[in-house]
Amino acid sequence: MGRMLVAGEWVDSQSRAEMPVTNPATEEVVDTVPQATPEDVDRAVAAAKAAFADWSRTDPEERADLLRKGVERVRACREEVADLLTREQGKPTHEALAELNHLLHGLEYYADLASKLRGSYVPLPSHLGSSFGLVVRRPLGVVAAIVPWNYPLTLMGTKIGPALIAGNTVVVKPASTTPLAATRVVGLLQEAGLPPGVLNVVTGPGRVVGEYLVAHPDVVRVAFTGETATGRRVMEIAGPAFKRVTLELGGSDPVIVCSDADLEAAVRGVLVGRYWNCGQSCLAAKRVYVFEDVYDAFLGKLLEGVSRYEPGEGWVKAQRPRIRLGPLHTARQRAEVLEQMQEALARGARVAYGGRIPDGRPRGHFLEPTVLVDVPHDSRVVQEEVFGPVLPVFRVRDIDEAIRLANDSPYGLGSSIWTFNVRWIHKAIQELQAGMTWVNQVHYGYDELPFGGTKQSGFGKEHGVEAVDYYVELKSVVVGGLA
Ligand code: NAD
């Protein structure tokens, strides 16, 4: 049975209650983890609070050093952690390894940044006497890091990296269905020498453990990634106490393919963008708008590419040229995607590829990679976030129609355009309502660039130097008595 890390110790829930973690490909139980009680959360927050005094004063180089040692430990267990991730989450082994590498790269990025955070010196007017000002960056205190199941490792790393190097302490709450790899990583980071209480992990259902953690009076900062509806609830709880909150929520990223696009590259980008992680990415390419003069050519190449995906267990390698497509994460997840698709089909959409539960797979939450055409723009599959391998493709007249339709969504996370026309690129950068625009590139979150949404995709940034700003407060200091 898995356990929780509190104050440097592996502990069970005080209630002794456990939750099963299920393999999405076989529906078999992989392991169990403790179901934390509010008292367990109290203990974890108290441990983080107690550790804050020393950690916030620890030399930044030392913090970085401990994080780097932790990265080395995790790297040494790469295969084991990736396998755990595949078995609890469903993603193919090569994707699990890629996620792990992304986590390590991100943690190293923040370790490198630890000693480079600085404030500023400000000359002041002398009418009150000679003085100067300083702007000092101070850590905040105890951070709650609430993580979803689609990228349990990287999305934990985007929170603990900047939080820890800035001098905060953290309580991580992984998703109930993916606590195993994350807990293992936290354990390895701890073994590398983090002082007890600096990094803790509690497991349990979001409605109980997550809400209690967000509401806890000693938690000053909530870093949340998850669904838009859950983000709204987190705001409701954290708002009255004026906690610092970042919300990385759902997305429905549009892709625009213009008449001059490199179609081979655009198709490759869309395939990775849509079908990586079985379509369960916040920044997945979820709608494609293709200029009418290249629509047929694009669709032909896309369908050829989609036909290479083969649903199957993540730990079984696909034979080239096949590409492994794992299962959806839960039965509920697949049922929702099927419902979204059915609604569009009932209103005139057509299946250009896939659309069914694959034959011979009575167990596991598999779904064929799917392409839809003739989809009404007000249908669920367009207006809601589709967290699965289903892609609607639209024909558009020109850049104005493409941008208008791209923006016709409640979400505003990512967006992309495939063209070499500098005017269209400029227009897309200026007018696409999204926190990120990729130009001739696959949708991907870079450790080096701030990432976060607008509209109902939330607010705040993860990744980049900028993310650290969300884990510090700026304190102004006036120093007088100079002469
Ligand atoms: P979710 O909202 O169901 O759960 C996310 C986390 O919140 C889990 O740890 C869960 O246990 C916890 N939680 C649930 N209810 C809670 C509550 N009432 N109070 C506090 N915590 C609670 O999301 P999910 O289904 O795990 O993840 C998929 C969603 O995450 C998608 O919408 C996806 O787009 C989004 N996402 C966004 C980003 C981004 O950077 N914007 C990245 C990845 C995923």
Side-chain angles (χ1 to χ4, degrees), residues 146-151 155 173-177 204-212 214 224-231 233-234 237 247-251 280-283 286 332-333 385 387 413 451-453 457 462:
I146 302 183
V147 184
W149 51 259
N150 61 339
Y151 292 98
L155 294 170
K173 207 228 52 88
S176 325
T177 51
R207 288 247 179 80
V208 184
V209 176
E211 289 204 11
Y212 191 79
V214 172
F224 174 83
T225 303
E227 283 182 31
T228 295
T230 320
R233 179 76 189 127
V234 166
I237 306 169
L247 298 173
E248 300 288 343
L249 308 178
Q280 303 164 114
S281 304
C282 56
L283 47 61
K286 296 191 178 111
R332 188 177 71 95
Q333 193 67 35
E385 180 177 42
F387 230 48
L413 193 55
F451 176 79
S457 294
E462 293 198 331

Short mmCIF file of all heavy atoms in Angstrom, two decimals, residues 146-151 155 173-177 204-212 214 224-231 233-234 237 247-251 280-283 286 332-333 385 387 413 451-453 457 462, ligand 1:
data_model
loop_
_atom_site.label_atom_id
_atom_site.label_comp_id
_atom_site.label_asym_id
_atom_site.label_seq_id
_atom_site.Cartn_x
_atom_site.Cartn_y
_atom_site.Cartn_z
N ILE A 146 -2.22 21.61 -5.98
CA ILE A 146 -3.29 20.64 -6.33
C ILE A 146 -3.17 20.28 -7.80
O ILE A 146 -3.19 21.15 -8.68
CB ILE A 146 -4.67 21.24 -5.99
CG1 ILE A 146 -4.70 21.58 -4.50
CG2 ILE A 146 -5.78 20.25 -6.35
CD1 ILE A 146 -6.01 22.11 -4.00
N VAL A 147 -3.02 18.99 -8.06
CA VAL A 147 -2.54 18.52 -9.35
C VAL A 147 -3.59 17.60 -10.00
O VAL A 147 -4.18 16.77 -9.30
CB VAL A 147 -1.21 17.73 -9.13
CG1 VAL A 147 -0.61 17.29 -10.45
CG2 VAL A 147 -0.21 18.57 -8.33
N PRO A 148 -3.81 17.70 -11.32
CA PRO A 148 -4.77 16.80 -11.98
C PRO A 148 -4.11 15.50 -12.42
O PRO A 148 -2.91 15.30 -12.23
CB PRO A 148 -5.19 17.62 -13.20
CG PRO A 148 -3.97 18.38 -13.56
CD PRO A 148 -3.23 18.65 -12.28
N TRP A 149 -4.90 14.63 -13.05
CA TRP A 149 -4.41 13.29 -13.40
C TRP A 149 -3.77 13.22 -14.77
O TRP A 149 -3.19 12.20 -15.12
CB TRP A 149 -5.55 12.26 -13.31
CG TRP A 149 -6.78 12.64 -14.08
CD1 TRP A 149 -7.92 13.17 -13.56
CD2 TRP A 149 -6.98 12.56 -15.49
NE1 TRP A 149 -8.83 13.43 -14.55
CE2 TRP A 149 -8.27 13.06 -15.75
CE3 TRP A 149 -6.21 12.12 -16.57
CZ2 TRP A 149 -8.81 13.14 -17.04
CZ3 TRP A 149 -6.74 12.21 -17.85
CH2 TRP A 149 -8.02 12.70 -18.06
N ASN A 150 -3.91 14.27 -15.60
CA ASN A 150 -3.43 14.07 -16.98
C ASN A 150 -1.91 14.15 -17.11
O ASN A 150 -1.31 13.42 -17.88
CB ASN A 150 -4.16 15.00 -17.96
CG ASN A 150 -3.95 16.46 -17.68
OD1 ASN A 150 -3.60 16.85 -16.57
ND2 ASN A 150 -4.16 17.28 -18.68
N TYR A 151 -1.28 15.04 -16.32
CA TYR A 151 0.19 15.09 -16.24
C TYR A 151 0.57 15.17 -14.75
O TYR A 151 0.95 16.22 -14.25
CB TYR A 151 0.74 16.29 -17.02
CG TYR A 151 0.54 16.15 -18.51
CD1 TYR A 151 -0.52 16.77 -19.14
CD2 TYR A 151 1.40 15.36 -19.27
CE1 TYR A 151 -0.74 16.59 -20.51
CE2 TYR A 151 1.20 15.18 -20.62
CZ TYR A 151 0.13 15.80 -21.23
OH TYR A 151 -0.08 15.63 -22.57
N LEU A 155 2.93 18.60 -13.83
CA LEU A 155 2.12 19.66 -13.23
C LEU A 155 2.34 19.78 -11.72
O LEU A 155 2.01 20.79 -11.12
CB LEU A 155 0.64 19.45 -13.57
CG LEU A 155 0.37 19.63 -15.07
CD1 LEU A 155 -1.03 19.19 -15.43
CD2 LEU A 155 0.62 21.07 -15.51
N LYS A 173 -1.25 17.81 -3.29
CA LYS A 173 -2.39 16.88 -3.34
C LYS A 173 -2.53 16.38 -4.78
O LYS A 173 -3.01 17.08 -5.65
CB LYS A 173 -3.69 17.56 -2.89
CG LYS A 173 -4.62 16.53 -2.34
CD LYS A 173 -6.04 16.50 -2.78
CE LYS A 173 -6.57 16.47 -4.12
NZ LYS A 173 -6.74 15.14 -4.71
N PRO A 174 -2.08 15.14 -5.03
CA PRO A 174 -2.24 14.60 -6.38
C PRO A 174 -3.72 14.26 -6.63
O PRO A 174 -4.50 14.17 -5.68
CB PRO A 174 -1.42 13.31 -6.35
CG PRO A 174 -0.80 13.21 -5.00
CD PRO A 174 -1.47 14.19 -4.10
N ALA A 175 -4.08 14.04 -7.88
CA ALA A 175 -5.44 13.57 -8.19
C ALA A 175 -5.63 12.19 -7.55
O ALA A 175 -4.68 11.40 -7.45
CB ALA A 175 -5.62 13.49 -9.70
N SER A 176 -6.87 11.90 -7.18
CA SER A 176 -7.15 10.63 -6.49
C SER A 176 -6.78 9.43 -7.34
O SER A 176 -6.42 8.38 -6.80
CB SER A 176 -8.64 10.49 -6.17
OG SER A 176 -9.20 11.69 -5.86
N THR A 177 -6.86 9.58 -8.66
CA THR A 177 -6.63 8.43 -9.54
C THR A 177 -5.16 8.31 -9.96
O THR A 177 -4.80 7.31 -10.57
CB THR A 177 -7.51 8.54 -10.79
OG1 THR A 177 -7.33 9.85 -11.35
CG2 THR A 177 -8.97 8.32 -10.47
N GLY A 204 -6.16 11.76 -1.36
CA GLY A 204 -7.58 11.65 -1.01
C GLY A 204 -8.43 12.40 -2.00
O GLY A 204 -7.90 13.09 -2.88
N PRO A 205 -9.74 12.26 -1.89
CA PRO A 205 -10.64 12.88 -2.87
C PRO A 205 -10.60 14.41 -2.80
O PRO A 205 -10.48 14.99 -1.72
CB PRO A 205 -12.03 12.37 -2.47
CG PRO A 205 -11.87 11.56 -1.25
CD PRO A 205 -10.43 11.49 -0.86
N GLY A 206 -10.71 15.03 -3.98
CA GLY A 206 -10.63 16.49 -4.05
C GLY A 206 -11.68 17.18 -3.22
O GLY A 206 -11.39 18.17 -2.53
N ARG A 207 -12.90 16.64 -3.26
CA ARG A 207 -14.00 17.32 -2.54
C ARG A 207 -13.73 17.42 -1.05
O ARG A 207 -14.19 18.35 -0.39
CB ARG A 207 -15.31 16.55 -2.75
CG ARG A 207 -15.84 16.69 -4.14
CD ARG A 207 -17.16 17.49 -4.16
NE ARG A 207 -17.60 17.61 -5.55
CZ ARG A 207 -18.23 16.63 -6.17
NH1 ARG A 207 -18.53 15.54 -5.53
NH2 ARG A 207 -18.57 16.78 -7.43
N VAL A 208 -13.01 16.45 -0.49
CA VAL A 208 -12.76 16.47 0.95
C VAL A 208 -11.36 17.04 1.22
O VAL A 208 -11.21 18.12 1.78
CB VAL A 208 -12.84 15.03 1.53
CG1 VAL A 208 -12.68 15.05 3.04
CG2 VAL A 208 -14.14 14.37 1.12
N VAL A 209 -10.35 16.33 0.73
CA VAL A 209 -8.97 16.69 1.06
C VAL A 209 -8.58 18.00 0.37
O VAL A 209 -7.99 18.89 0.99
CB VAL A 209 -8.03 15.53 0.65
CG1 VAL A 209 -6.58 15.89 0.89
CG2 VAL A 209 -8.40 14.28 1.41
N GLY A 210 -8.95 18.12 -0.92
CA GLY A 210 -8.61 19.34 -1.67
C GLY A 210 -9.26 20.57 -1.05
O GLY A 210 -8.61 21.57 -0.78
N GLU A 211 -10.55 20.46 -0.80
CA GLU A 211 -11.26 21.63 -0.25
C GLU A 211 -10.74 22.00 1.13
O GLU A 211 -10.58 23.18 1.45
CB GLU A 211 -12.77 21.35 -0.17
CG GLU A 211 -13.40 21.31 -1.55
CD GLU A 211 -14.88 21.61 -1.57
OE1 GLU A 211 -15.44 22.05 -0.54
OE2 GLU A 211 -15.48 21.40 -2.64
N TYR A 212 -10.47 21.00 1.94
CA TYR A 212 -9.99 21.29 3.30
C TYR A 212 -8.62 21.97 3.23
O TYR A 212 -8.34 22.92 3.98
CB TYR A 212 -9.90 19.98 4.11
CG TYR A 212 -9.67 20.22 5.57
CD1 TYR A 212 -10.72 20.59 6.41
CD2 TYR A 212 -8.40 20.10 6.11
CE1 TYR A 212 -10.49 20.84 7.76
CE2 TYR A 212 -8.16 20.34 7.46
CZ TYR A 212 -9.21 20.71 8.27
OH TYR A 212 -8.99 20.96 9.61
N VAL A 214 -7.44 23.79 0.67
CA VAL A 214 -7.60 25.16 0.15
C VAL A 214 -8.10 26.08 1.25
O VAL A 214 -7.68 27.24 1.37
CB VAL A 214 -8.58 25.16 -1.06
CG1 VAL A 214 -8.92 26.58 -1.48
CG2 VAL A 214 -8.00 24.37 -2.22
N PHE A 224 -3.39 25.69 -8.38
CA PHE A 224 -4.37 24.67 -8.80
C PHE A 224 -4.33 24.45 -10.30
O PHE A 224 -4.36 25.41 -11.08
CB PHE A 224 -5.78 25.12 -8.39
CG PHE A 224 -6.85 24.20 -8.92
CD1 PHE A 224 -7.18 23.04 -8.23
CD2 PHE A 224 -7.50 24.47 -10.12
CE1 PHE A 224 -8.14 22.16 -8.73
CE2 PHE A 224 -8.46 23.60 -10.62
CZ PHE A 224 -8.78 22.44 -9.92
N THR A 225 -4.30 23.20 -10.71
CA THR A 225 -4.52 22.84 -12.11
C THR A 225 -5.62 21.81 -12.15
O THR A 225 -5.57 20.81 -11.41
CB THR A 225 -3.25 22.26 -12.77
OG1 THR A 225 -2.19 23.20 -12.65
CG2 THR A 225 -3.49 21.98 -14.24
N GLY A 226 -6.61 22.05 -13.00
CA GLY A 226 -7.72 21.11 -13.10
C GLY A 226 -8.82 21.69 -13.96
O GLY A 226 -8.60 22.61 -14.75
N GLU A 227 -10.01 21.15 -13.78
CA GLU A 227 -11.14 21.58 -14.60
C GLU A 227 -11.61 22.97 -14.22
O GLU A 227 -11.47 23.39 -13.07
CB GLU A 227 -12.31 20.62 -14.39
CG GLU A 227 -12.15 19.31 -15.10
CD GLU A 227 -13.37 18.42 -14.88
OE1 GLU A 227 -14.47 18.95 -14.71
OE2 GLU A 227 -13.17 17.21 -14.85
N THR A 228 -12.22 23.64 -15.18
CA THR A 228 -12.72 24.99 -14.95
C THR A 228 -13.74 25.01 -13.81
O THR A 228 -13.70 25.89 -12.94
CB THR A 228 -13.31 25.55 -16.26
OG1 THR A 228 -12.22 25.67 -17.19
CG2 THR A 228 -13.97 26.89 -16.06
N ALA A 229 -14.64 24.01 -13.78
CA ALA A 229 -15.66 23.99 -12.73
C ALA A 229 -15.01 23.85 -11.35
O ALA A 229 -15.43 24.50 -10.38
CB ALA A 229 -16.62 22.84 -12.97
N THR A 230 -13.96 23.04 -11.24
CA THR A 230 -13.29 22.88 -9.94
C THR A 230 -12.56 24.17 -9.58
O THR A 230 -12.53 24.57 -8.41
CB THR A 230 -12.28 21.70 -9.98
OG1 THR A 230 -12.84 20.62 -10.72
CG2 THR A 230 -11.93 21.23 -8.59
N GLY A 231 -11.97 24.80 -10.59
CA GLY A 231 -11.28 26.07 -10.35
C GLY A 231 -12.22 27.12 -9.77
O GLY A 231 -11.84 27.89 -8.88
N ARG A 233 -14.80 26.52 -7.91
CA ARG A 233 -15.01 26.13 -6.51
C ARG A 233 -13.81 26.55 -5.64
O ARG A 233 -13.97 27.05 -4.54
CB ARG A 233 -15.25 24.62 -6.46
CG ARG A 233 -15.46 24.05 -5.12
CD ARG A 233 -16.86 24.34 -4.56
NE ARG A 233 -16.96 23.94 -3.17
CZ ARG A 233 -17.38 24.74 -2.20
NH1 ARG A 233 -17.80 25.97 -2.44
NH2 ARG A 233 -17.44 24.31 -0.96
N VAL A 234 -12.62 26.35 -6.18
CA VAL A 234 -11.40 26.73 -5.44
C VAL A 234 -11.41 28.24 -5.17
O VAL A 234 -11.11 28.69 -4.06
CB VAL A 234 -10.13 26.30 -6.23
CG1 VAL A 234 -8.88 26.96 -5.68
CG2 VAL A 234 -9.99 24.78 -6.21
N ILE A 237 -13.73 29.19 -2.34
CA ILE A 237 -13.22 28.87 -1.00
C ILE A 237 -12.06 29.80 -0.62
O ILE A 237 -11.97 30.30 0.49
CB ILE A 237 -12.75 27.40 -0.91
CG1 ILE A 237 -13.86 26.46 -1.36
CG2 ILE A 237 -12.29 27.06 0.49
CD1 ILE A 237 -13.38 25.03 -1.55
N LEU A 247 -4.88 29.59 -11.25
CA LEU A 247 -5.80 28.59 -11.77
C LEU A 247 -5.41 28.25 -13.20
O LEU A 247 -5.53 29.09 -14.10
CB LEU A 247 -7.23 29.12 -11.74
CG LEU A 247 -7.80 29.46 -10.36
CD1 LEU A 247 -9.16 30.13 -10.51
CD2 LEU A 247 -7.91 28.23 -9.48
N GLU A 248 -4.92 27.04 -13.38
CA GLU A 248 -4.60 26.55 -14.73
C GLU A 248 -5.72 25.59 -15.09
O GLU A 248 -5.76 24.47 -14.61
CB GLU A 248 -3.25 25.81 -14.71
CG GLU A 248 -2.08 26.66 -14.26
CD GLU A 248 -1.68 27.69 -15.30
OE1 GLU A 248 -2.07 27.55 -16.47
OE2 GLU A 248 -0.98 28.66 -14.93
N LEU A 249 -6.64 26.05 -15.94
CA LEU A 249 -7.89 25.30 -16.12
C LEU A 249 -7.99 24.71 -17.53
O LEU A 249 -6.99 24.54 -18.21
CB LEU A 249 -9.07 26.22 -15.81
CG LEU A 249 -8.96 26.93 -14.43
CD1 LEU A 249 -10.14 27.86 -14.21
CD2 LEU A 249 -8.85 25.92 -13.30
N GLY A 250 -9.21 24.42 -17.93
CA GLY A 250 -9.42 23.71 -19.20
C GLY A 250 -9.09 24.57 -20.41
O GLY A 250 -8.91 25.79 -20.31
N GLY A 251 -9.01 23.91 -21.55
CA GLY A 251 -8.74 24.62 -22.79
C GLY A 251 -9.44 23.98 -23.96
O GLY A 251 -9.92 22.83 -23.88
N GLN A 280 -5.80 13.93 -23.86
CA GLN A 280 -6.13 14.46 -22.54
C GLN A 280 -5.09 15.48 -22.08
O GLN A 280 -4.40 15.28 -21.08
CB GLN A 280 -6.24 13.30 -21.55
CG GLN A 280 -7.28 12.27 -21.99
CD GLN A 280 -7.15 10.95 -21.26
OE1 GLN A 280 -8.02 10.57 -20.52
NE2 GLN A 280 -6.05 10.25 -21.45
N SER A 281 -4.96 16.54 -22.86
CA SER A 281 -4.03 17.61 -22.50
C SER A 281 -4.80 18.91 -22.49
O SER A 281 -5.62 19.15 -23.38
CB SER A 281 -2.89 17.72 -23.52
OG SER A 281 -2.23 16.49 -23.64
N CYS A 282 -4.48 19.76 -21.52
CA CYS A 282 -5.14 21.06 -21.47
C CYS A 282 -4.82 21.82 -22.75
O CYS A 282 -5.67 22.51 -23.30
CB CYS A 282 -4.68 21.84 -20.26
SG CYS A 282 -2.90 22.04 -20.16
N LEU A 283 -3.56 21.72 -23.22
CA LEU A 283 -3.14 22.49 -24.39
C LEU A 283 -3.21 21.66 -25.66
O LEU A 283 -2.55 21.95 -26.65
CB LEU A 283 -1.72 23.05 -24.18
CG LEU A 283 -0.63 22.13 -23.64
CD1 LEU A 283 -0.34 20.96 -24.53
CD2 LEU A 283 0.63 22.92 -23.37
N LYS A 286 -7.47 21.20 -30.17
CA LYS A 286 -8.82 20.61 -30.05
C LYS A 286 -9.77 20.99 -31.18
O LYS A 286 -10.85 20.41 -31.31
CB LYS A 286 -9.42 20.97 -28.69
CG LYS A 286 -8.60 20.35 -27.54
CD LYS A 286 -9.28 20.44 -26.19
CE LYS A 286 -8.45 19.76 -25.11
NZ LYS A 286 -7.87 20.65 -24.14
N ARG A 332 -15.75 7.24 -16.94
CA ARG A 332 -16.57 8.46 -16.99
C ARG A 332 -16.05 9.40 -18.09
O ARG A 332 -16.82 10.00 -18.83
CB ARG A 332 -16.51 9.18 -15.62
CG ARG A 332 -17.47 10.35 -15.51
CD ARG A 332 -17.41 10.94 -14.10
NE ARG A 332 -16.16 11.65 -13.87
CZ ARG A 332 -16.02 12.97 -14.04
NH1 ARG A 332 -17.01 13.71 -14.46
NH2 ARG A 332 -14.85 13.54 -13.81
N GLN A 333 -14.71 9.46 -18.15
CA GLN A 333 -14.06 10.30 -19.15
C GLN A 333 -14.48 9.86 -20.57
O GLN A 333 -14.84 10.67 -21.41
CB GLN A 333 -12.55 10.11 -18.96
CG GLN A 333 -11.68 11.09 -19.66
CD GLN A 333 -11.86 12.46 -19.07
OE1 GLN A 333 -12.07 12.60 -17.87
NE2 GLN A 333 -11.81 13.46 -19.91
N GLU A 385 -14.75 21.60 -23.54
CA GLU A 385 -13.43 20.98 -23.66
C GLU A 385 -13.63 19.49 -23.96
O GLU A 385 -14.38 18.81 -23.25
CB GLU A 385 -12.66 21.13 -22.34
CG GLU A 385 -11.28 20.50 -22.43
CD GLU A 385 -10.45 20.70 -21.17
OE1 GLU A 385 -10.99 20.56 -20.06
OE2 GLU A 385 -9.25 20.98 -21.32
N PHE A 387 -11.87 16.13 -23.79
CA PHE A 387 -10.68 15.53 -23.20
C PHE A 387 -10.55 14.10 -23.68
O PHE A 387 -10.71 13.15 -22.92
CB PHE A 387 -10.79 15.62 -21.68
CG PHE A 387 -9.56 16.19 -21.03
CD1 PHE A 387 -8.98 17.36 -21.50
CD2 PHE A 387 -8.97 15.57 -19.94
CE1 PHE A 387 -7.84 17.89 -20.93
CE2 PHE A 387 -7.83 16.08 -19.35
CZ PHE A 387 -7.27 17.25 -19.85
N LEU A 413 -6.78 29.14 -23.67
CA LEU A 413 -5.49 28.65 -23.16
C LEU A 413 -4.41 28.80 -24.24
O LEU A 413 -3.64 29.74 -24.22
CB LEU A 413 -5.65 27.20 -22.71
CG LEU A 413 -4.52 26.62 -21.87
CD1 LEU A 413 -4.23 27.47 -20.65
CD2 LEU A 413 -4.84 25.19 -21.43
N PHE A 451 3.34 30.12 -19.05
CA PHE A 451 2.20 29.45 -19.67
C PHE A 451 0.99 29.60 -18.75
O PHE A 451 1.07 29.36 -17.55
CB PHE A 451 2.52 27.96 -19.87
CG PHE A 451 1.37 27.19 -20.41
CD1 PHE A 451 1.07 27.23 -21.76
CD2 PHE A 451 0.56 26.42 -19.58
CE1 PHE A 451 -0.02 26.54 -22.27
CE2 PHE A 451 -0.52 25.72 -20.09
CZ PHE A 451 -0.82 25.78 -21.44
N GLY A 452 -0.13 30.00 -19.33
CA GLY A 452 -1.36 30.12 -18.55
C GLY A 452 -2.43 30.75 -19.42
O GLY A 452 -2.12 31.29 -20.48
N GLY A 453 -3.67 30.66 -18.99
CA GLY A 453 -4.77 31.02 -19.88
C GLY A 453 -5.41 32.35 -19.62
O GLY A 453 -5.05 33.09 -18.70
N SER A 457 -10.06 29.71 -19.06
CA SER A 457 -8.90 28.84 -18.87
C SER A 457 -8.10 29.25 -17.63
O SER A 457 -7.07 28.65 -17.34
CB SER A 457 -8.01 28.85 -20.10
OG SER A 457 -8.69 28.27 -21.19
N GLU A 462 2.40 29.47 -15.09
CA GLU A 462 3.38 28.47 -14.66
C GLU A 462 4.47 28.47 -15.72
O GLU A 462 4.26 28.96 -16.83
CB GLU A 462 2.73 27.09 -14.52
CG GLU A 462 1.72 27.06 -13.38
CD GLU A 462 1.35 25.68 -12.88
OE1 GLU A 462 1.40 24.72 -13.66
OE2 GLU A 462 1.00 25.57 -11.69
P1 NAD B 1 -10.20 18.12 -11.59
O1 NAD B 1 -10.61 19.55 -11.48
O2 NAD B 1 -11.24 17.08 -11.48
O3 NAD B 1 -9.12 17.76 -10.46
C1 NAD B 1 -7.90 18.46 -10.33
C2 NAD B 1 -7.40 18.33 -8.90
O4 NAD B 1 -8.29 19.02 -8.03
C3 NAD B 1 -7.35 16.89 -8.38
O5 NAD B 1 -6.25 16.75 -7.51
C4 NAD B 1 -8.65 16.78 -7.60
O6 NAD B 1 -8.62 15.78 -6.62
C5 NAD B 1 -8.74 18.17 -7.00
N1 NAD B 1 -10.11 18.59 -6.64
C6 NAD B 1 -11.28 18.13 -7.11
N2 NAD B 1 -12.32 18.78 -6.54
C7 NAD B 1 -11.77 19.68 -5.70
C8 NAD B 1 -12.31 20.67 -4.84
N3 NAD B 1 -13.64 20.85 -4.71
N4 NAD B 1 -11.46 21.45 -4.12
C9 NAD B 1 -10.11 21.29 -4.24
N5 NAD B 1 -9.54 20.36 -5.04
C10 NAD B 1 -10.36 19.58 -5.76
O7 NAD B 1 -9.37 18.03 -12.94
P2 NAD B 1 -8.84 16.71 -13.65
O8 NAD B 1 -10.01 16.04 -14.29
O9 NAD B 1 -7.96 15.98 -12.72
O10 NAD B 1 -7.89 17.33 -14.79
C11 NAD B 1 -8.28 17.61 -16.08
C12 NAD B 1 -8.55 19.09 -16.24
O11 NAD B 1 -7.38 19.82 -15.94
C13 NAD B 1 -8.88 19.46 -17.67
O12 NAD B 1 -9.92 20.39 -17.68
C14 NAD B 1 -7.60 20.10 -18.18
O13 NAD B 1 -7.75 20.98 -19.26
C15 NAD B 1 -7.13 20.78 -16.96
N6 NAD B 1 -5.71 21.07 -17.08
C16 NAD B 1 -5.29 22.37 -17.21
C17 NAD B 1 -3.94 22.65 -17.38
C18 NAD B 1 -3.44 24.05 -17.56
O14 NAD B 1 -2.24 24.27 -17.42
N7 NAD B 1 -4.29 25.01 -17.83
C19 NAD B 1 -3.02 21.60 -17.41
C20 NAD B 1 -3.49 20.29 -17.29
C21 NAD B 1 -4.84 20.04 -17.09
#
